[in-house]
Amino acid sequence: MCGIIGCVGTDETVSTLMDGLSNLEYRGYDSAGVAVQNGSGIKTFKRAGNVSEVRDALPDDPPSGTVGIGHTRWSTHGPPTDQNAHPHTDPEGRVAVVHNGVIENYDKLRSQLEATGNQFVSDTDTEVIPHLIAHYLDGGLEPETAFRRALERLEGSYAVAAIIEEEETILSARHGTPLVVGIDDGAFFLASDVPAFLERTSDVVYLEDGEIARVDPDGFSMMDIKGDPIESEIEHIEWDAKETGKGSYDHYMLKEIDTQPTALRQTIEGRIDPETGSVSLDGLEAGAFEDYDQVDFVACGTSYHAALYGSKLLQDAGVEATAYRASEYGASSNLVDDSTLAIPVTQSGETADTLSAMAEAAEAGATTVAVTNVMGSTAARRADETVFIRAGPEIGVAATKTFSSQVVTLLLLARRLAEDIDGTEPRDDFDEVLAALERLPDDLQYVLESSDARSVAHDYVDSEAYLFIGRHLGFPVAKEGALKFKEITYEHAESFTSGRLKHGPLALVTPSTPIFAIATGEERSKTLTNATEAKSRGAPIVLVTDDEETGAELADKRLTVPETHELLEGLLANVQLQLVSYYAANRLDREIDKPRNLAKSVTVE
């Protein structure tokens, strides 16, 4: 989704805005722009393309001023053009607005405004907002009241920030789309995501739906749509600003792949005791889940694959668990009631489909336990309980370290559930699982240092298509491997349970369709059999396994992982596939951190 930045009280407003947009470019990169209140009016600069193109288009002497807003766009209404780039203004340029989300009634509002003589210059839904604010200003309302009246007319989702001529103020509001205020000495920031201003402050206030924030050089205040004041709580973010930079890496994705050992150490720190086989999760006491007999995971994309992994862990313990794609979840058809535990899995905590499924489950009586990476996110605030994956900020659009941390968190949560829910059979070797989990960061580091993924990627980079197969816990890894490959290489990649291969997908197999076979866990022999069937039809086989001898005659290429507990083998195999995707995309000269048509957090349904 798009990125918003605003600042008040800084001497170098334009450079601050541009830095914020650069930090947010993972959220949108079709076009970008800034608007600054310089005391004699509002100056706007915007361009189709990425943030650097806007930076290059700025005048040598950019406008001064202490109030400004900026935006980097991921297109919904209208193509990426200069006219469709944000900020948008009213015809006289008195009001400038940036907006994330979708105004569902914009056609109706635009027709009404055009009937009164307003002329529009863009294809966007956003442009109706500054026109509405200007309409109420013309009617004699004060800026704050005009802003609130305009919001009352909007239907849909929005995070919106506006500046008005001759006002040293940013007015902002959210409904269904994230927005956060940053607080520093003598300066205030506004953004769709904390990394926008993290190098300047880590003290924040998160807006809830229906809340309005007014930010000016003297401070900030919160109110509701009627203008009544609201108390706000300042939170401190623990993320290190250095984590949001690339450092010496060419791409965020490679940095985030390489920092997975650190992320996993953070995930398990203080949560496991291998000697006793015990798990402690963020204050969830023993017996917390004894009243539930059904677990529904809801998630999208990579988080769905982590949820699928988690559901299989629970199924093995005898828990009725299902992973649903959040966009397809219907609580009413799933017999959800107060004995259901709904677990939304979402890296950002802001994924619109997941939040919608979470709300539907809660309305049907389910208890919700969010598994997320972001403190203060909507999912974290709305859930009955939250378990944080502690992976640290992830900037690359293609999720890597957060998948690993999600799976490990779900492994620990699955253990807690299996211990609490009646009729389950918790593993009797869980002390061995925890011992292997404690070794996992080191095992993962070994994979990173010894991987032959670069060679494999270069050998097969000109293939027609790529197939990924696995069984049981290897299947979510196969799905995630295929997703990563298609996300950043733009090449066709598909995943199947190994047994499905001979029921149709074999028709796709040619000598130009390498098959990545995840031969891990108890069912590896069946996967090897299916891979052999594909090889007999001419497919090259890339075997991902922990056994140097397994499939010696079968494999054309081999990606080996250290031997570990069967529950964790898939995570090590997944890192190998992440590296293959990365090196293939790099060889193809793709925009690895900003793959076409994709955004990090999808905050509209």
Side-chain angles (χ1 to χ4, degrees):
M1 193 51 196
C2 315
I4 287 174
I5 180 67
C7 61
V8 173
T10 65
D11 293 330
E12 299 178 344
T13 300
V14 171
S15 64
T16 300
L17 293 174
M18 294 307 303
D19 289 346
L21 292 183
S22 294
N23 293 341
L24 288 175
E25 199 168 9
Y26 64 95
R27 293 181 63 96
Y29 38 84
D30 292 340
S31 57
V34 297
V36 178
Q37 166 66 268
N38 66 357
S40 61
I42 296 174
K43 298 296 182 183
T44 301
F45 304 91
K46 57 184 185 175
R47 289 285 187 279
N50 58 38
V51 172
S52 64
E53 293 178 64
V54 178
R55 196 185 294 272
D56 292 343
L58 290 171
D60 293 335
D61 184 22
S64 60
T66 59
V67 179
I69 53 177
H71 191 267
T72 181
R73 182 173 183 247
W74 187 57
S75 300
T76 52
H77 290 75
T81 64
D82 290 355
Q83 290 78 15
N84 289 335
H86 297 216
H88 288 287
T89 66
D90 68 302
E92 286 77 36
R94 295 172 298 167
V95 180
V97 165
V98 292
H99 161 238
N100 294 347
V102 175
I103 305 303
E104 295 173 358
N105 63 333
Y106 89 100
D107 272 334
K108 178 181 178 181
L109 293 172
R110 180 167 176 155
S111 296
Q112 293 172 347
L113 289 162
E114 286 176 331
T116 63
N118 281 265
Q119 294 185 343
F120 287 75
V121 298
S122 79
D123 305 311
T124 70
D125 54 335
T126 301
E127 196 180 355
V128 300
I129 303 175
H131 283 251
L132 280 173
I133 296 171
H135 167 76
Y136 288 115
L137 290 173
D138 289 340
L141 296 183
E142 293 296 316
E144 183 183 296
T145 307
F147 181 74
R148 291 190 286 105
R149 288 292 299 276
L151 294 180
E152 290 173 350
R153 301 280 300 277
L154 304 182
E155 297 174 8
S157 61
Y158 56 78
V160 60
I163 57 175
I164 298 172
E165 190 175 62
E166 297 181 359
E167 298 287 327
E168 285 193 294
T169 301
I170 300 176
L171 296 166
S172 62
R174 79 160 272 176
H175 180 76
T177 302
L179 206 58
V180 58
V181 175
I183 303 162
D184 194 15
D185 269 344
F188 299 89
F189 305 92
L190 184 81
S192 48
D193 206 353
V194 172
F197 53 69
L198 189 57
E199 69 269 25
R200 290 178 167 84
T201 182
S202 52
D203 292 326
V204 303
V205 172
Y206 290 97
L207 275 69
E208 299 280 1
D209 279 356
E211 292 185 346
I212 297 170
R214 176 190 175 106
V215 184
D216 60 39
D218 295 325
F220 76 98
S221 58
M222 306 285 289
M223 68 193 80
D224 62 20
I225 194 72
K226 296 178 182 180
D228 295 330
I230 296 173
E231 291 294 323
S232 56
E233 181 179 348
I234 298 175
E235 299 183 38
H236 183 75
I237 301 298
E238 297 295 337
W239 288 350
D240 186 341
K242 293 179 181 177
E243 292 185 75
T244 62
K246 281 190 291 191
S248 61
Y249 288 88
D250 291 332
H251 300 98
Y252 283 110
M253 183 180 179
L254 184 58
K255 176 189 175 184
E256 287 157 2
I257 291 172
D258 277 0
T259 56
Q260 285 178 102
T262 298
L264 288 177
R265 289 188 182 96
Q266 294 170 177
T267 299
I268 65 177
E269 183 180 5
R271 289 175 163 174
I272 67 172
D273 186 344
E275 291 186 6
T276 63
S278 62
V279 170
S280 175
L281 278 179
D282 303 339
L284 296 177
E285 301 297 333
F289 304 114
E290 61 187 9
D291 295 329
Y292 305 101
D293 55 27
Q294 173 183 319
V295 177
D296 289 355
F297 293 93
V298 291
C300 299
T302 289
S303 295
Y304 169 73
H305 300 154
L308 192 59
Y309 206 118
S311 70
K312 292 181 180 297
L313 293 171
L314 280 175
Q315 291 162 11
D316 285 351
V319 178
E320 183 181 340
T322 307
Y324 295 92
R325 288 182 174 86
S327 59
E328 299 167 12
Y329 183 73
S332 59
S333 62
N334 295 333
L335 302 178
V336 174
D337 56 24
D338 59 7
S339 67
T340 302
L341 186 68
I343 303 179
V345 185
T346 162
Q347 184 281 133
S348 66
E350 303 293 351
T351 307
D353 289 330
T354 303
L355 293 175
S356 179
M358 175 182 169
E360 188 171 353
E363 187 175 352
T367 296
T368 56
V369 177
V371 176
T372 185
N373 194 37
V374 182
M375 294 182 63
S377 63
T378 302
R381 296 198 305 275
R382 292 181 180 173
D384 295 304
E385 301 286 351
T386 302
V387 181
F388 293 102
I389 69 171
R390 302 175 175 175
E394 185 177 66
I395 305 301
V397 168
T400 52
K401 67 176 181 176
T402 54
F403 175 79
S404 300
S405 291
Q406 283 174 335
V407 169
V408 168
T409 302
L410 291 176
L411 170 65
L412 301 180
L413 182 58
R415 176 64 177 187
R416 285 298 322 284
L417 292 169
E419 289 175 331
D420 286 356
I421 296 175
D422 286 341
T424 59
E425 298 179 4
R427 297 185 69 102
D428 56 12
D429 67 344
F430 202 69
D431 55 340
E432 297 175 18
V433 176
L434 293 188
L437 188 56
E438 203 168 40
R439 296 192 306 269
L440 184 62
D442 291 332
D443 288 342
L444 200 154
Q445 187 65 47
Y446 176 81
V447 171
L448 294 170
E449 293 172 357
S450 63
S451 175
D452 197 33
R454 186 198 299 262
S455 172
V456 170
H458 289 184
D459 284 350
Y460 296 115
V461 76
D462 294 322
S463 300
E464 292 178 355
Y466 305 81
L467 305 182
F468 296 74
I469 62 172
R471 286 178 181 261
H472 193 45
L473 294 177
F475 176 54
V477 174
K479 291 186 72 65
E480 177 61 10
L483 176 62
K484 280 298 151 287
F485 203 90
K486 69 181 72 174
E487 277 181 323
I488 64 170
T489 69
Y490 314 155
E491 300 298 315
H492 184 72
E494 292 290 343
S495 60
F496 309 99
T497 53
S498 302
R500 279 189 59 202
L501 200 60
K502 57 182 176 289
H503 297 285
L506 269 178
L508 302 174
V509 169
T510 73
S512 294
T513 54
I515 291 182
F516 290 81
I518 295 90
T520 57
E522 293 180 349
E523 298 193 21
R524 74 179 68 204
S525 61
K526 293 182 180 180
T527 295
L528 292 172
T529 298
N530 300 135
T532 301
E533 293 169 343
K535 186 176 180 67
S536 70
R537 273 78 174 176
I541 303 299
V542 180
L543 197 60
V544 189
T545 183
D546 65 351
D547 187 346
E548 290 285 356
E549 302 302 320
T550 295
E553 297 180 1
L554 169 65
D556 295 280
K557 291 284 184 179
R558 180 186 296 271
L559 294 169
T560 305
V561 302
E563 185 176 350
T564 187
H565 195 281
E566 63 180 8
L567 298 188
L568 302 178
E569 287 175 340
L571 283 177
L572 298 174
N574 179 66
V575 174
Q576 291 280 24
L577 298 181
Q578 290 174 348
L579 290 168
V580 169
S581 296
Y582 173 81
Y583 288 120
N586 203 33
R587 181 69 174 263
L588 293 166
D589 199 27
R590 305 302 193 214
E591 281 277 0
I592 291 175
D593 288 332
K594 298 176 288 185
R596 69 187 180 198
N597 303 330
L598 301 179
K600 182 65 176 172
S601 176
V602 182
T603 55
V604 293
E605 292 186 72

